[in-house]
Amino acid sequence: MKLPAKTVQRLSKYRRILYKYRYLDEPHIFSHDLARLLNLNPVQIRRDLMLIGGSGNHRRGYHVKQLIQLIGEKIDSEKGRKIVLVGIGKLGQAIAEYLSDREMFQEVIAVFDIDPVKVGKTIYDIPCYDIRDLSRMIKKNKVSIAILTVPSDYAVTIAELLIDSGIEGILNFTSVRLNTPESVFVQDFDIVTSLEEMAYRVSRD
Amino acid sequence: MKLPAKTVQRLSKYRRILYKYRYLDEPHIFSHDLARLLNLNPVQIRRDLMLIGGSGNHRRGYHVKQLIQLIGEKIDSEKGRKIVLVGIGKLGQAIAEYLSDREMFQEVIAVFDIDPVKVGKTIYDIPCYDIRDLSRMIKKNKVSIAILTVPSDYAVTIAELLIDSGIEGILNFTSVRLNTPESVFVQDFDIVTSLEEMAYRVSRD
């Protein structure tokens, strides 16, 4: 069964909340508490959890650890587990640090840059390689997702290299539009453009 | 004339490229060069620029400084110029640093946190205030856009406070859904959820 994108997004968010309680002894949680923490509708949450086969208990709610496992079985896969991050400027570094702190099934296994000062070092425990090793490393480790934080001038060239090497999903933090084959998923996170667009909208509406 | 959201996004991107050349003596640029740099269609670019009244010269292309000014006249406004950033954790800090480096019309005028170690200091030259001053500062400075990088547990409360204080646009980096009045624009930048969703998609398609 293929789940709708929105459902996967919500399951991912539920799990992030549940992770916080997993070290308790036999933790349980009610859908309305989960709803409150994520500002969602409890009916929606119960429907999502029913869809993946989760069942709560009237008295205690859902079993947290069982739910974490169940969500993982539905949305995780070895294929999307390994991530590379390309471009260790300020933003790249910040994202590497931010992710190193998160509870997530996925793992940033390598970062890449052209700066000889960075190459060969580790950044938040992640090894930094020369960008010339990008293709080899992606293929060798069967990586399918990349975070792109290079300067705009390099975005198209690096994206092409990523796709040629087997990458199927790109989180694009550059301001450049990537024209990728349909089989590749791109999500744009262009902070400056979003802020400028927002400024335009708040001033006209 | 109200421009479509996509057009505003592209104009914002054009300007970012043009900024790089503005210190040259009388710089000009052709639409096909701009197209190459942003990986867009030159016809599209000429159409956008014509829409805002920009005209190129067959021999030399568009006058860079004139175009920068023209784009600014169309998309900038005093109202969206001031930004606050709420929550100076790792991600908040990274975004403050990233934006301090950008060429943009907008300005982060203040950051807010609850940590007494941070309050009263400056972060990348931006003063950090106690979150208790948030409402007062927003009103006093007529701020209309906020970047939300607080821990999830605080997202809803702080978003409500922002909106009550007059904020009309929120860039939401938390994993919590904000239910805001229709007049408030929210754009979600949930990095972990996006990565998990991408992992799901690459493994099923």
Side-chain angles (χ1 to χ4, degrees), chain A residues 3 12 16 179 193 196 200, chain B residues 3 12 16 39 193 196 200:
Chain A
L3 300 167
S12 159
R16 216 119 23 94
N179 42 5
T193 296
E196 295 197 335
Y200 180 80
Chain B
L3 300 166
S12 159
R16 216 116 27 93
N39 199 25
T193 296
E196 294 196 337
Y200 181 80

Side-chain angles (χ1 to χ4, degrees), chain A residues 15 52 66-77 105, chain B residues 204:
Chain A
R15 179 165 62 176
I52 63 166
Q66 272 174 13
L67 216 47
I68 289 174
Q69 204 195 326
L70 195 58
I71 293 174
E73 284 167 11
K74 298 296 173 185
I75 73 172
D76 294 337
S77 73
F105 175 73
Chain B
R204 321 276 142 154

